[in-house]
Amino acid sequence: MIRDRIILGIDPGTIVMGYGILAVERNKPRIEAMGVLSLSKFDDHYVRLRRIYERMTALIDEYHPDELAIEAPFFGKNVQSMLKLGRAQGAAITAALNHDIPVFEYAPLKIKMAITGNGNAAKEQVAGMLQHILHIPDENMLPQLDATDGLAAAYCHYLQANRPKEGKDSSNWKDFIARHPDKVRK
């Protein structure tokens, strides 16, 4: 069984950065917090990067995450946008690494697939599935879907960390049950 831990999920952005904090206790995930960092009021890109780093540091100091799950930039047509997004991701990753937090990067398609079963799912579908899976009341859902995208990165990492290892793990159902009694409901 995977130990109890806190996963910080980040949806990096230079205008809005979304984050979600997932607490895993007794191998059951629950939402601890989610939110956004709005950066549109800052004209200077480097000030935005500093604000991302500062907010990440504040989240780390408040929630003490064990792992960072971050959405990887996707390849778009605008090279300048990709460069800025990569820098935003780098600022977030640097804050985690400065606190010795391991970083796990997931492609947007993989995150959407893990949450909805559809790699092309809309942000609204991802938010709806997370609300259902994690039992988030309507009043706790934020209008900014960047927050649920950050939470989706954390939940995707939770699922990936709990996947059975391939290879030597189990050769049949009896062997699997013997090795993983916590996975069997009676």
Side-chain angles (χ1 to χ4, degrees):
M1 177 147 101
I2 304 294
R3 66 178 175 75
D4 290 354
R5 66 199 191 283
I6 303 288
I7 304 169
L8 169 57
I10 295 294
D11 177 31
T14 57
I15 303 298
V16 178
M17 179 190 84
Y19 66 88
I21 314 284
L22 197 65
V24 180
E25 295 171 344
R26 299 177 134 194
N27 213 27
K28 297 206 185 296
R30 70 173 167 75
I31 181 172
E32 190 74 20
M34 70 176 161
V36 295
L37 170 62
S38 179
L39 301 158
S40 59
K41 60 187 167 209
F42 304 107
D43 292 330
D44 187 325
H45 180 68
Y46 298 107
V47 171
R48 291 178 181 181
L49 295 176
R50 185 181 74 214
R51 295 292 299 139
I52 291 168
Y53 180 85
E54 290 169 350
R55 183 63 179 132
M56 283 291 298
T57 299
L59 288 169
I60 291 166
D61 289 343
E62 183 175 354
Y63 294 100
H64 307 286
D66 298 290
E67 300 157 329
L68 170 68
I70 191 164
E71 185 175 303
F74 57 91
F75 296 101
K77 293 179 181 176
N78 187 328
V79 175
Q80 287 302 314
S81 294
M82 280 293 299
L83 180 60
K84 288 178 180 178
L85 186 58
R87 288 176 177 169
Q89 185 191 33
I93 289 171
T94 300
L97 293 176
N98 279 343
H99 289 84
D100 296 318
I101 298 170
V103 177
F104 301 87
E105 189 175 25
Y106 297 97
L109 184 120
K110 184 168 187 87
I111 293 171
K112 291 176 182 182
M113 182 65 89
I115 306 302
T116 68
N118 176 5
N120 294 315
K123 287 177 174 274
E124 293 82 5
Q125 290 173 296
V126 172
M129 283 301 295
L130 285 171
Q131 184 177 15
H132 175 73
I133 292 167
L134 297 172
H135 310 289
I136 305 170
D138 287 339
E139 61 269 12
N140 292 2
M141 293 298 288
L142 300 176
Q144 304 95 338
L145 296 175
D146 305 274
T148 46
D149 284 352
L151 187 61
Y155 192 77
C156 176
H157 179 66
Y158 160 76
L159 293 173
Q160 291 300 304
N162 287 334
R163 284 181 57 196
K165 304 290 185 252
E166 293 182 19
K168 63 180 171 125
D169 198 27
S170 301
S171 59
N172 58 47
W173 282 111
K174 185 177 180 180
D175 185 36
F176 178 84
I177 291 168
R179 291 174 188 255
H180 304 285
D182 58 309
K183 303 273 186 202
V184 179
R185 291 186 184 169
K186 295 182 182 183

